[in-house]
């Protein structure tokens, strides 16, 4: 009898193990995507409105410039912070900055918006490095658990996430379209505070979902890797010694430029003159819907660097067509055709964004699997630095000058990415 009891006791841990096992990587990826859907449906729509709602003293535009400057600076140290916290804790802590930013917009003054923007810069740096690290870890874990190709699996996971992220523009901006109304003077809106309260509720739901995520690669260590400033700096700078990183940085910069162009220039200089402030929501909803569809489709078409290069080429071509149209042919018009033009521009720009942004995230995760935190931190440093430049620059240069800047940046970044493909393929041929 005692021997039987001993055998049962020995078997107990084996029986209990499945109960304690963590959620599957695919399920965690779905929860992560849903959490970001709620948080960024609110934040994305709020950001789109900053340059048109908080216009006194350019408060909205300047606040976003401060936010992305802070984002850039904190991204330099985001990698070791996320390593210490673990990606799940980084996601939860990072979401607090978005809540504070929405609260500041309910009472928008320099004393509320500037501190909220500075704090959000820190939170954004860790939430995005945490996201890239968590999603890549989940995708590669799923591939290994199920004997699947890593490139295709990472493409599928990334496509799902960025497709849902792109759809936040549609959802959040449809809320704006439903709740905002142009004022009688044509330069103001009503319903803003109600809209931001709804945004706050969305964010709370997103934070709750983040708390439900499984822990992944959360070592919580305090090893000597980051024990000194010099060691931490070496860890941050190390990716810059990789030729592949240097060649992909221009596309990271362009990603930031093209996002900021939509948020700060497209909404203010192309949509508002034709459709009014309340029309911003509808135009950005179409932009987001196009991006969501393209991100989902291209994610499932991704199998490696070659397919990513074809998709990036297509996205770059679409955005080049839009830039040349705006530079050479576009002028605001009245009537139905005049109202359709900004919507079509938004759809095309969103399609190009969905393709390039999805593939860029997949390529970073695939090429730098052994240094995920540092690589995604580099991504955010360059992307957000470019966003800050546009927000500070946009009030002081003409639309034509901005379009020329965007066109030059697109050609440089695309050329560098093509060279990256050549370098990687050549290196793979030599190894084989």
């Amino acid at each position: 009898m005692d021997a039987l009891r001993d055998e049962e006791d020995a078997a107990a841990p084996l029986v209990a193990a499945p109960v304690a096992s963590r959620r599957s990587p695919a399920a965690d990826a779905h929860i992560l995507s849903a959490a970001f859907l709620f948080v960024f449906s609110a934040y994305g729509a709020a950001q789109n409105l900053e340059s048109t709602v908080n216009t006194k003293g350019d408060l909205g535009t300047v606040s976003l410039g401060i936010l992305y400057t802070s984002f850039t600076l904190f991204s330099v140290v985001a990698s070791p912070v996320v390593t210490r916290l673990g990606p799940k804790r980084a996601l939860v802590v990072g979401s607090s900055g978005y809540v504070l930013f929405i609260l500041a917009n309910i009472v928008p003054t320099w004393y509320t918006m500037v501190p909220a923007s500075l704090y959000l810069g820190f939170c954004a740096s860790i939430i995005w490095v945490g996201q890239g690290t968590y999603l890549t870890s989940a995708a590669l874990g799923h591939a290994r658990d199920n004997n699947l190709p890593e490139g295709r699996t990472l493409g599928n996971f990334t496509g799902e996430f960025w497709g849902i992220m792109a759809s936040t523009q549609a959802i959040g901006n449809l809320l704006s379209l439903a709740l905002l109304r142009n004022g009688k003077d044509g330069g103001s809106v009503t319903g803003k505070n109600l809209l931001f309260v709804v945004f706050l509720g969305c964010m709370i739901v997103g934070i709750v979902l983040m708390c439900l995520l499984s822990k992944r690669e959360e070592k919580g260590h305090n090893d000597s890797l980051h024990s000194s400033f010099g060691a931490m700096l070496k860890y941050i700078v190390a990716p810059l010694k990789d030729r592949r990183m240097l060649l992909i940085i221009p596309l990271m910069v362009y990603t930031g430029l093209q996002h900021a162009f939509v948020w700060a220039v497209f909404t203010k200089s192309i949509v508002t003159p034709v459709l009014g402030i309340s029309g911003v929501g509808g135009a950005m909803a179409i932009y987001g819907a196009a991006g969501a569809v393209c991100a989902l489709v291209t994610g499932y078409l991704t199998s490696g660097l070659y397919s990513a290069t074809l998709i990036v080429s297509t996205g770059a071509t679409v955005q080049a067509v839009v830039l040349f149209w705006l530079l050479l042919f576009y002028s605001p018009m009245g009537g139905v055709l005049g109202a359709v033009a900004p919507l079509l521009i938004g759809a095309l720009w969103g399609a190009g964004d969905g393709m390039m942004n999805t593939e860029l995230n997949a390529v970073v995760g695939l090429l730098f699997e052994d240094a995920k935190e540092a690589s995604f931190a580099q991504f955010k440093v360059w992307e957000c630095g470019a966003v800050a430049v546009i927000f500070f620059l946009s009030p002081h240069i003409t639309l034509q000058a901005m379009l020329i800047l965007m066109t030059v940046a697109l050609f440089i970044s695309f050329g560098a990415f093509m060279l990256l493909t050549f370098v990687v393929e050549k290196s793979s041929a030599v190894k084989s």
Side-chain angles (χ1 to χ4, degrees), residues 47 126 191 396 406:
Q47 180 177 250
I126 64 172
H396 308 292
M406 295 294 299

Side-chain angles (χ1 to χ4, degrees), residues 75-91 125-127 129-131 133-134 216-227 232 235-236 370-377:
S75 291
V76 174
V77 296
S79 174
V81 171
V82 172
T83 302
R84 290 286 183 89
L85 289 175
K88 177 184 173 178
R89 292 191 190 94
L91 291 167
S125 71
I126 64 172
I127 200 174
V129 173
Q131 175 273 325
T133 302
Y134 193 96
R216 294 190 175 277
E217 294 189 358
E218 300 201 28
K219 303 179 181 69
H221 52 67
N222 291 309
D223 60 21
S224 60
L225 179 65
H226 308 118
S227 59
M232 184 179 73
Y235 179 70
I236 294 165
D370 295 332
K372 293 187 290 295
E373 294 93 343
S375 299
F376 281 106

Side-chain angles (χ1 to χ4, degrees), residues 324-353:
F324 281 117
W325 176 17
L326 291 172
L327 267 171
L328 303 176
F329 305 110
Y330 179 77
S331 61
M333 299 181 297
V336 176
L337 289 178
V340 168
L343 304 180
L344 179 59
I345 292 170
L348 291 173
W349 197 266
D353 176 35

Side-chain angles (χ1 to χ4, degrees), residues 4 14 68 105 108 121 141-142 160 176 222 240 262 273 281 297 348 364 381 408 414 416 427:
L4 181 60
L14 299 177
Y68 281 96
N105 269 276
H142 182 74
E160 176 190 330
S176 298
N222 291 309
L240 295 176
V262 172
V297 172
L348 291 173
V364 170
V381 167
V408 172
F414 179 66
S427 176

Side-chain angles (χ1 to χ4, degrees), residues 1-2 5 22 33 49 59 62 106 114 194 211 221 237 245-246 275 335 340 349 352 374 388 395 400:
M1 190 63 129
D2 291 338
R5 186 178 295 110
R22 64 186 181 184
S33 299
L49 293 168
L59 174 60
V62 172
I106 296 176
V114 171
L194 174 60
C211 292
H221 52 67
V237 173
M245 178 61 74
L246 295 177
L275 302 176
V340 168
W349 197 266
Q400 290 293 104

Side-chain angles (χ1 to χ4, degrees), residues 50-66 108-110 113-114 268 391-392 395-396:
E50 290 297 323
S51 63
T52 52
V53 172
N54 296 324
T55 56
K56 187 176 181 180
D58 286 321
L59 174 60
T61 304
V62 172
S63 294
L64 290 176
I66 292 171
T109 68
W110 292 102
M113 293 294 293
V114 171
K268 186 175 183 179
F391 278 122
F392 283 126
H396 308 292

Side-chain angles (χ1 to χ4, degrees), residues 184-200:
K184 294 180 179 179
D185 59 359
S188 62
V189 291
T190 59
K192 181 173 94 62
N193 284 350
L194 174 60
L195 177 64
F196 278 90
V197 169
V198 173
F199 286 165
L200 189 61

